[in-house]
Amino acid sequence: MEIVETTIPDVLLLKPEVYKDDRGFFLETYREEHLQSKNIDVHFVQDNLSKSQKNTVRGLHYQIECQQDKLLMVMQGAILDVAVDLRKDSPTFGEYVAMELSAENKHQMFIPKGFAHGFSVLSDEALVYYKCSDYYYPEGERGLFWDDPELDIDWKVSDPIISEKDQDQPQLHEIRNKDLF
């Protein structure tokens, strides 16, 4: 597996080795020692699967309590996966990484604690599978406004479909200090 640092070094792009033949393909979706080779010691406790239609934007979400590392991959379709640095003492605070993940390229994105996460659906629909290092904890859930002008994220979709909850999140400059990492 090739592991590539992104513009924010703690967010990683993982490119699994894919073995193809006449029957189809095989790849390892997770191997602990690959992340450990980058000094990342993570223990995943929950796996999630979401299905979304074209132009959906999910996010930007994070948990201030029960913080989560995430490892994402796309099983069907294509997404633009986005991680925003909310670590207040980080030199990349307020910056983001956006990577296209698809069933075709089979790439994965590792997003450490301290980041808000979201994605947009570029294909007709997408199945997104991800591992989390802590359990979902609704009381600790927070959000960041998906279309914050300060972030200026190009979600690469027209007429985005957004949940009411995601439309009602604060912009980066409105987030209380206690809700940052």
Side-chain angles (χ1 to χ4, degrees):
M1 177 173 292
E2 180 183 4
I3 300 178
V4 180
E5 287 187 4
T6 64
T7 55
I8 300 176
D10 297 327
V11 178
L12 302 172
L13 179 67
L14 284 70
K15 298 180 178 181
E17 191 163 339
V18 181
Y19 302 94
K20 296 180 183 179
D21 64 22
D22 293 340
R23 300 168 296 168
F25 70 87
F26 172 85
L27 65 100
E28 288 183 347
T29 60
Y30 175 71
R31 189 170 178 148
E32 184 177 57
E33 67 185 351
H34 289 152
L35 290 177
Q36 287 177 342
S37 74
K38 292 292 186 180
N39 296 319
I40 296 170
D41 186 23
V42 63
H43 175 73
F44 292 112
V45 298
Q46 179 177 321
D47 289 5
N48 301 321
L49 179 66
S50 76
K51 180 180 179 181
S52 305
Q53 63 181 311
K54 186 177 182 76
N55 294 326
T56 294
V57 174
R58 290 188 182 266
L60 297 156
H61 306 138
Y62 63 100
Q63 290 185 180
I64 197 67
E65 298 169 54
C66 301
Q67 299 173 18
Q68 297 174 315
D69 300 292
K70 295 179 180 176
L71 180 62
L72 288 95
M73 69 179 295
V74 175
M75 299 177 74
Q76 176 186 332
I79 66 169
L80 181 71
D81 204 29
V82 177
V84 179
D85 191 348
L86 295 182
R87 302 168 300 173
K88 56 188 166 195
D89 294 328
S90 169
T92 56
F93 174 79
E95 295 180 21
Y96 70 91
V97 171
M99 305 292 290
E100 186 171 326
L101 306 180
S102 69
E104 185 176 324
N105 70 23
K106 297 171 184 46
H107 293 171
Q108 301 174 10
M109 194 149 105
F110 175 77
I111 302 168
K113 297 173 179 118
F115 285 76
H117 171 255
F119 64 86
S120 60
V121 179
L122 308 176
S123 53
D124 287 338
E125 63 181 23
L127 285 176
V128 179
Y129 175 81
Y130 56 104
K131 304 177 92 47
C132 298
S133 65
D134 208 339
Y135 300 105
Y136 174 64
Y137 182 65
E139 294 84 1
E141 185 176 28
R142 301 291 185 275
L144 173 62
F145 184 56
W146 70 277
D147 201 21
D148 186 332
E150 186 177 343
L151 299 175
D152 195 30
I153 298 169
D154 179 2
W155 291 97
K156 301 190 182 305
V157 296
S158 57
D159 300 319
I161 302 167
I162 314 289
S163 73
E164 283 186 39
K165 178 178 90 171
D166 289 347
Q167 290 182 43
D168 194 31
Q169 298 295 340
Q171 293 184 19
L172 184 59
H173 72 274
E174 298 171 322
I175 295 178
R176 301 173 300 183
N177 200 47
K178 70 176 189 169
D179 288 334
L180 296 171
F181 299 96

